[in-house]
């Protein structure tokens, strides 16, 4: 779809949406601003993966930070981002029956190279080759949203929940197994031991922030098998009383 100039959109594959991303909030801000500079409809025809440059000024303006804070966050995020990995969970099937028999864990970096120019205040990221198919030449099975929707978030869990919901924005109903949800949220094994930890520390604060800062009405329920929670179902729509927000297609 044609998008008004000046709007920043983030578009990536559903597989990357579901993946564990292991990013702090500041690192997520940098990665998503850098990703918004890519044209997700085109194919990279260069021998090297594409690069994205982010300046401290545009980072400060987008996330409504003072310039010194923006400089600090850019520098620390760029430094740490090179060590961050994405964790994909790919199903494994029996050859003869096609029955799913588990999953393979695949890890790869976000970027293969990071440049930071302190005096000029910019960061340049060279994307990792394994990641570019999830960012470029996307025709189906992708998630897309306006970056401004997440600018005010103060929790990485709110941002991740937004992405998980945006996969199903046409129907307004999203359902994930507890395992898939926890993997996408980068929950620790200790947090996963007790569903109340997930509820109290991730779901409830994230739902609250999405409703207050991005104009959603969200209801969620725990789907149980016996006494155990097996899945999470979210029903969501735009709050009609908050017309300041535009629901991007």
């Amino acid at each position: 779809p044609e998008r008004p100039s000046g709007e920043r959109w983030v578009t990536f594959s559903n597989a990357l949406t579901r993946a564990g991303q292991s990013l702090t909030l500041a690192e997520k801000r940098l990665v998503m601003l850098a990703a918004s500079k890519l044209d997700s409809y085109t194919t990279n025809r260069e021998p090297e993966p594409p690069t994205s440059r982010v300046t401290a000024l545009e980072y400060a303006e987008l996330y409504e930070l003072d310039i010194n804070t923006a400089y600090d966050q850019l520098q620390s995020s760029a430094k740490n981002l090179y060590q961050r990995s994405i964790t994909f969970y790919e199903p494994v099937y029996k050859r003869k029956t096609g029955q799913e028999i588990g999953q393979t864990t695949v890890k790869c970096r976000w970027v293969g190279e990071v440049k930071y120019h302190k005096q000029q205040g910019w960061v340049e990221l060279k994307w990792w080759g394994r990641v570019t198919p999830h960012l470029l030449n996307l025709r189906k099975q992708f998630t897309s949203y306006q970056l401004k929707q997440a600018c005010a978030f103060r929790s990485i869990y709110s941002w991740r929940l937004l992405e998980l919901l945006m996969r199903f924005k046409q129907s307004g109903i999203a359902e994930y197994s507890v395992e898939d949800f926890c993997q996408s949220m980068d929950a620790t094994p200790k947090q996963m031991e007790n569903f109340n930890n997930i509820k109290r520390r991730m779901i409830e604060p994230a739902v609250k922030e999405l409703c207050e800062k991005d104009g959603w009405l969200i209801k969620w329920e725990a789907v149980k098998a016996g006494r155990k929670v097996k899945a999470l179902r979210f029903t969501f729509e735009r709050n009609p009383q908050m017309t300041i927000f535009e629901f991007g297609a």
Side-chain angles (χ1 to χ4, degrees):
E2 186 175 346
R3 293 162 179 173
S5 60
E7 286 188 359
R8 295 188 182 277
W9 285 73
V10 181
T11 302
F12 46 88
S13 72
N14 287 344
L16 184 53
T17 303
R18 298 192 305 271
Q21 298 185 1
S22 69
L23 299 173
T24 65
L25 181 61
E27 292 159 6
K28 180 76 171 176
R29 286 172 170 173
L30 171 57
V31 166
M32 293 299 105
L33 178 50
S36 74
K37 293 171 175 284
L38 299 173
D39 185 348
S40 60
Y41 294 102
T42 63
T43 302
N44 180 38
R45 302 188 184 281
E46 301 298 323
E48 293 288 321
T51 61
S52 300
R53 180 176 290 193
V54 174
T55 69
L57 182 59
E58 62 187 346
Y59 185 97
E61 289 178 347
L62 180 65
Y63 297 115
E64 298 183 354
L65 302 169
D66 67 80
I67 193 67
N68 290 327
T69 301
Y71 275 118
D72 291 343
Q73 287 193 11
L74 265 191
Q75 189 171 11
S76 62
S77 296
K79 179 180 178 181
N80 294 331
L81 187 59
Y82 184 74
Q83 304 300 330
R84 299 299 188 195
S85 61
I86 308 170
T87 305
F88 293 97
Y89 302 93
E90 299 178 348
V92 178
Y93 303 95
K94 282 187 176 180
R95 285 187 178 181
K96 292 184 178 180
T97 64
Q99 178 186 359
E100 186 173 336
I101 55 174
Q103 60 185 15
T104 301
T105 301
V106 181
K107 284 183 176 290
C108 70
R109 294 181 186 270
W110 279 98
V111 295
E113 183 179 285
V114 175
K115 294 181 181 178
Y116 180 78
H117 196 296
K118 188 173 183 179
Q119 286 72 31
Q120 295 185 7
W122 54 256
V123 165
E124 192 170 86
L125 308 179
K126 178 181 282 188
W127 299 95
W128 190 251
R130 174 72 167 76
V131 178
T132 53
H134 298 280
L135 299 170
L136 300 174
N137 196 28
L138 299 174
R139 295 291 185 269
K140 58 183 181 179
Q141 297 295 311
F142 62 84
T143 300
S144 185
Y145 61 93
Q146 290 184 46
L147 188 52
K148 70 178 181 181
Q149 291 181 240
C151 289
F153 292 158
R154 293 295 178 264
S155 167
I156 187 66
Y157 297 134
S158 302
W159 203 323
R160 294 296 282 128
L161 180 58
L162 172 68
E163 292 174 346
L164 292 174
L165 297 185
M166 287 300 91
R167 279 188 63 206
F168 300 98
K169 62 185 176 185
Q170 299 302 327
S171 67
I173 301 173
E175 185 167 326
Y176 291 91
S177 71
V178 171
E179 290 77 13
D180 286 347
F181 182 83
C182 289
Q183 288 171 350
S184 298
M185 287 289 194
D186 291 311
T188 65
K190 187 172 180 61
Q191 289 172 327
M192 294 173 65
E193 286 175 1
N194 189 331
F195 178 74
N196 282 332
N197 292 333
I198 304 299
K199 174 183 175 181
R200 244 183 13 257
R201 298 181 180 226
M202 296 181 186
I203 302 173
E204 291 179 341
V207 167
K208 185 173 186 288
E209 191 164 39
L210 260 69
C211 293
E212 291 178 351
K213 295 182 179 178
D214 195 32
W216 292 99
L217 294 174
I218 302 173
K219 294 181 180 179
W220 72 276
E221 61 178 312
V223 181
K224 293 186 176 182
R227 298 176 64 180
K228 186 177 181 181
V229 177
K230 69 171 185 177
L232 299 168
R233 183 181 297 125
F234 297 87
T235 305
F236 58 99
E237 63 179 349
R238 281 298 192 185
N239 186 341
Q241 296 181 359
M242 299 184 71
T243 54
I244 185 173
F245 297 101
E246 176 189 350
F247 184 36

